Amino acid sequence: MSDLKGKKIFVTGGSRGIGSSIVKILAKKGATVAFTYSSREDSAAQLLSELLSLDSGAGHFYLQMDLAKEESVKSVVEQVLTKFIDIDGVVNNAGITKDGLLLRMKTEDFDSVIQTNLRGGFLVTKGFLKPMLKARKGSIVNITSVIGQTGNAGQANYAASKAGTEAFSKSIALEVASRNIRVNCIAPGFIATEMTQTLSEDVRKQILSKIPLERIAEPEEVAYAAAFLLSDESKYMTGQTLSVNGGMYMG
Ligand code: NDP
């Protein structure tokens, strides 16, 4: 299933949570993976040592990147392309939340979520598109959210960034389909990572009551969907959003 042998794939925010699972699953399926961290180099180093013990070889590496800074993204793209000239896939996974009800939301909190999640994905995608266009191959996977599909009180900035990413992805899918490049999204529901750990017990119960499968998902469950979209098994899919949400939203 979802063989990724020989594929070179770049993942943002691989140091923990969903990104870390994506990196592990891709490497287990035979891909060589470059991934980024923002502040936690220790987690990135720990993950790399796990990867190096796999059969997929010693080509994996990580770099520091701040998605909110254009220079940082440009420099990472350049460095990745020196090793992955014929890059096969990109996963725009890294993302942040800065929640608050709108009347209390600071302009800088709105801006930083849009800048990191939406503009950051734009910069990464733009950076890797040129070599993909030249090679006439590529699969880009953008991690959005169920919140971008339904909206959520207290997350107007985050919801806008994720809905924006979905619309962005469909537009790029149309621009590059004729060159055999596919662009798809995965919209996770409620996944057990640090991003969701801080929620109160009450909020957790409220969310659980809205999930038909009656449980929170593990990050691997998103990673398998990413592996599928990066593999040739999904080669007739573009401009789509795969929902991995336990039935929380049926769009
Ligand atoms: P985590 O908060 O657990 O991890 C976030 C990752 O992004 C880390 O690797 C972090 O690096 C990196 N990161 C943080 N800020 C920046 C930045 N400014 N520039 C570059 N990288 C950065 O998140 P999750 O794993 O939970 O989420 C991953 C993606 O999935 C996000 O896009 C999120 O919106 C989406 N998602 C998550 C859901 C969930 O329930 N968890 C549900 C729906 C969508 P470092 O470790 O160095 O800090």
Side-chain angles (χ1 to χ4, degrees):
M1 280 270 293
S2 306
D3 187 1
L4 298 173
K5 259 187 212 94
K7 290 198 189 287
K8 298 187 177 77
I9 300 171
F10 174 70
V11 181
T12 67
S15 44
R16 59 193 157 94
I18 294 171
S20 164
S21 276
I22 292 176
V23 170
K24 275 187 238 172
I25 300 286
L26 302 185
K28 279 185 187 161
K29 288 179 177 288
T32 307
V33 189
F35 63 96
T36 66
Y37 70 95
S38 165
S39 57
R40 309 232 191 133
E41 185 170 11
D42 50 337
S43 312
Q46 159 78 29
L47 175 58
L48 185 65
S49 67
E50 280 179 50
L51 298 186
L52 294 178
S53 66
L54 298 170
D55 288 343
S56 54
H60 313 290
F61 63 99
Y62 66 78
L63 295 161
Q64 196 279 336
M65 183 182 77
D66 183 351
L67 270 179
K69 296 189 179 140
E70 186 163 5
E71 282 318 307
S72 169
V73 177
K74 277 190 173 162
S75 150
V76 164
V77 170
E78 253 173 48
Q79 292 175 69
V80 171
L81 287 177
T82 59
K83 293 190 178 164
F84 288 4
I85 305 164
D86 51 344
I87 187 162
D88 297 280
V90 170
V91 184
N92 283 302
N93 160 77
I96 59 165
T97 50
K98 288 203 176 163
D99 300 350
L101 294 173
L102 194 71
L103 288 183
R104 284 193 222 134
M105 188 178 285
K106 293 186 195 133
T107 306
E108 55 262 39
D109 288 345
F110 185 84
D111 286 347
S112 84
V113 169
I114 297 291
Q115 187 163 359
T116 305
N117 297 1
L118 179 58
R119 181 174 173 272
F122 152 76
L123 293 172
V124 170
T125 303
K126 191 174 171 193
F128 286 109
L129 212 47
K130 234 185 195 167
M132 285 184 171
L133 286 166
K134 223 171 158 188
R136 290 182 171 267
K137 63 163 186 178
S139 172
I140 298 168
V141 177
N142 296 324
I143 308 298
T144 56
S145 170
V146 67
I147 301 305
Q149 299 167 315
T150 61
N152 195 25
Q155 290 197 303
N157 49 0
Y158 181 73
S161 75
K162 295 300 189 179
T165 298
E166 219 178 286
F168 168 80
S169 305
K170 288 180 190 169
S171 306
I172 309 306
L174 288 170
E175 288 184 22
V176 299
S178 64
R179 300 284 191 99
N180 192 33
I181 300 164
R182 302 181 294 111
V183 188
N184 292 289
C185 295
I186 297 173
F190 193 28
I191 318 296
T193 69
E194 276 184 37
M195 190 176 263
T196 48
Q197 246 168 28
T198 52
L199 297 172
S200 70
E201 207 38 51
D202 264 6
V203 174
R204 200 170 270 269
K205 273 190 192 148
Q206 243 179 53
I207 297 174
L208 268 176
S209 72
K210 291 182 191 151
I211 305 175
L213 285 179
E214 295 182 337
R215 65 177 177 85
I216 294 168
E218 293 304 321
E220 292 74 26
E221 295 177 285
V222 177
Y224 284 117
F228 170 65
L229 288 175
L230 290 160
S231 78
D232 297 338
E233 287 174 1
S234 60
K235 63 178 189 274
Y236 200 54
M237 287 180 69
T238 196
Q240 305 302 312
T241 296
L242 273 187
S243 289
V244 182
N245 65 18
M248 206 174 165
Y249 171 76
M250 301 183 184

